[in-house]
DNA sequence: TATTAGTTGACAATACATTGTCAAATTGAC
DNA sequence: GTCAATTTGACAATGTATTGTCAACTAATA
């Protein structure tokens, strides 16, 4: 079987995703490190704020596209470090809610300010619709990947 | 400071990169697992083939945008598992060359066949130039990120 | 109500990647 | 040739994420 032109382009894109992912994590760590945070901790903290209300670990994991185990570990770290606390969930005895503390909210706010400067600088002069096309493409690939998950490789 | 429209779009893209990165790694693991490989091992093995000749760990790391330590670990695993061996480098006493064994070449060939099917399926019907635009955008972001590295966050 | 299926947190094993540091090897300037 | 700067592999510490499994909880259904 031969690779289609789309597939060839896609393979290049995938390699770029790996490279950029590493770079972005590194940048995020640099950005958040002075506050005792990391890229992963920041992302979890941000997902709570983005949700608009406290959510459980499993809910946060689904929003971020990670396993709940990965998020659980980070959420526990955040609690230990005092950025969040767990609050009883009236609707579910096991699934406690992640609630940012004042320390967590302050840290997030400061980081978001810095992230604005950083992203403005990084994005300066790039065509917005070019970026949005990529976002859309990624959403499509995301959905398609999900569908592939269910189709195991036949030996 | 306010976030520009490009920066807002870029932030969305970054979150998509994180999501897709995880999904792709997962797919790669699934694809390579029956052969005793993983996404990372596959990538290192592939980078040797892509180079066209045996290269050192540090060279492979630069090509992939990873630290040499990360690649070293994976390269050692590959050797232990018999997919590669280290060969003396006439030009450098320390920097041995990673050389795929027959087992390694066979495994890579089989995976590449499966990857063709997989990527053809995933990319089917997507506009090639849309993908290529994204690749180009990522290259640009990659370069810009590198320049940001040198500019530390001022406290 | 009872049973069953799905969700959730906890725990463990494994893999992946970063930063930092050290010593050996290489390279380049002098 | 000598010495300093760089490169490279080795080792350690830390953080991130996956899969798998189990028990507790929840929800749906008969």
């Amino acid at each position: 079987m031969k690779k289609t032109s789309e597939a060839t382009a896609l393979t290049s894109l995938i390699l770029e995703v790996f490279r950029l992912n590493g770079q972005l994590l590194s940048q995020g760590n640099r950005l958040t490190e002075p506050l005792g945070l990391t890229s992963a901790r920041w992302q979890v903290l941000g997902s709570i704020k983005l949700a608009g209300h406290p959510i459980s670990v499993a809910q946060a994991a689904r929003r971020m596209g990670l396993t709940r185990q990965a998020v659980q570990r980070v959420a526990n770290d955040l609690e230990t470090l005092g950025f969040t606390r767990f609050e009883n969930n009236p609707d579910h005895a096991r699934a406690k809610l992640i609630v940012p503390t004042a320390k967590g909210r302050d840290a997030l706010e400061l980081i978001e300010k810095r992230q604005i400067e950083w992203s403005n600088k990084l994005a300066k002069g790039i065509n917005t619709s070019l970026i949005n096309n990529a976002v859309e493409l990624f959403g499509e690939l995301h959905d398609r990947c999900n569908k592939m998950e269910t189709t195991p490789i036949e030996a």
Side-chain angles (χ1 to χ4, degrees), chain A residues 34-152:
Chain A
L35 295 163
L37 289 172
T38 63
S39 288
R41 292 173 189 165
W42 171 23
Q43 207 186 346
V44 171
L45 211 45
S47 75
I48 312 298
K49 182 172 178 182
L50 201 61
H53 55 87
I55 55 180
S56 71
V57 164
Q59 286 176 315
R62 279 192 294 269
R63 284 165 178 264
M64 292 186 288
L66 296 177
T67 59
R68 70 183 196 287
Q69 290 91 333
V71 176
Q72 184 77 53
R73 200 199 102 261
V74 174
N76 290 344
D77 286 353
L78 283 171
E79 191 209 13
T80 301
L81 295 168
F83 292 105
T84 59
R85 62 175 201 280
F86 288 111
E87 215 166 76
N88 279 332
N89 184 350
D91 296 334
H92 199 303
R94 295 210 93 190
K96 295 195 178 132
L97 300 173
I98 310 172
V99 184
T101 60
K103 179 181 174 184
R105 289 192 302 272
D106 289 351
L108 188 56
E109 202 173 327
L110 186 53
I111 288 174
E112 282 173 345
K113 273 190 189 132
R114 289 180 174 179
Q115 197 273 343
I116 289 176
E117 296 179 47
W118 179 85
S119 59
N120 278 352
K121 198 171 160 193
L122 187 61
K124 191 175 184 181
I126 296 184
N127 189 332
T128 302
S129 65
L130 194 64
I131 302 175
N132 281 327
N133 283 343
V135 173
E136 203 179 329
L137 172 61
F138 273 46
E140 175 67 22
L141 291 175
H142 189 263
D143 292 344
R144 289 180 178 219
C145 260
N146 272 337
K147 284 173 193 158
M148 312 269 287
E149 296 274 15
T150 52
T151 315

